[in-house]
Amino acid sequence: MNNYKLLTPGPLTTTDTVKKEMMFDHCTWDDDYKQITMKIRKQLLELAHVAEEDYTVVLMQGSGTFGVESVITSVIGDREKLLIASNGAYGERMGDIAKHGKIPYTLYQQDYDKVPDAEKIAELLDADPQITHVSMVHSETTSGILNDIQAVAKVVKERGRTFIVDAMSSFGGVEIPVGEWGIDFIVSSANKCIQGVPGFSFIIANKEKLMESKGKARSLSLDLYDQWETMNKDGKWRFTSPTHVVLAFSKALDELQTEGGIEARSKRYYDNNRLLIEKLEKMGVRPYIGGALQGPIITTFFYPDNHHFSFDEMYRYIKERGYAIYPGKVTEADTFRIGNIGEIYREDIEKLCEIMEAFFRQH
């Protein structure tokens, strides 16, 4: 199999040292292993800038969507209602989760190239006192837009509602002061900006709100409260945990700290993103999201004018030369996406742009 680097929003390219951690077979009942789980939970609280007295961490088997579904189906009661602010496929997925869980919800749908408006959310909350919870995506990888969760959190908190954030592709890559902003539940995944591998998601939860959710869950395996109650005792997961992934994630957290924490990693991601946009614009390739709304995680680009190629053709050409990119998810235009996260540096962006320039010259 030919090696290539992933320019995607996760799974992503990991370090050899993170991969090496997965060579060890660990027992789930072992005290050393349970201590690794407890270490991870403590480190995640530190990254979220919250204290153990107020917040806690729950690790949940499965992909990021499993984590989002765990929260939505565990903390919203039968007589409560969810407002979903969406501007992409992952906000819409929250609607699918609510629908399958038979949870009453309202979907506030914004255009994919615009952020959900905090004032509009305030109006919707004022108009419907039955709404008890609000959810939205932070980094919407459909487009690459970075939503203003701080402004939304403010209006949600002012109205005494519970705020749920899908920070799948942003937590660890941009600073999010969870407690200061008033986020009650924030969800991310092992294989995103912390640069681990796929296998579990994690939820940083307001402890009081989590304890209020006891008995509300609609699922056995995704019951957030029960998962926390077991894990909080000594680090034991309720059901079989992805041991190799947990070991890799613990190492990835240590490597994030060595790199200089979120501040240093965020700068690397932003630098990658700005360089990529600058170089592609010189080739006549424009970003779908403009200016300050563009996040550092992944960028959606329009095809160049008068293009005469398919995405599959471009993808194969780039992959054969060492990189994998992403197809577009914006339906009304021909687009493709390029991620900046993982073990990706300036030299990777420069090399990618050389490859793409050569491809465009041929088409």
Side-chain angles (χ1 to χ4, degrees), residues 31 49 145 166 202 237 247-248 339:
D31 285 339
H49 307 289
I145 203 166
D166 171 345
F202 56 87
W237 300 52
L247 299 178

Side-chain angles (χ1 to χ4, degrees), residues 159-179:
R159 287 155 180 79
R161 280 24 180 248
T162 298
F163 192 34
I164 300 165
V165 173
D166 171 345
M168 210 61 61
S169 299
S170 59
F171 188 86
V174 297
E175 290 283 8
I176 308 173
V178 172

Side-chain angles (χ1 to χ4, degrees), residues 4 7 33 42 301 336:
Y4 53 88
L7 294 167
Y33 177 72
K42 184 175 184 295
F301 292 96
F336 60 91

Side-chain angles (χ1 to χ4, degrees), residues 124-136:
L124 291 167
L125 293 176
D126 291 341
D128 189 351
Q130 290 187 317
I131 295 171
T132 53
H133 296 69
V134 178
S135 67
M136 70 183 294

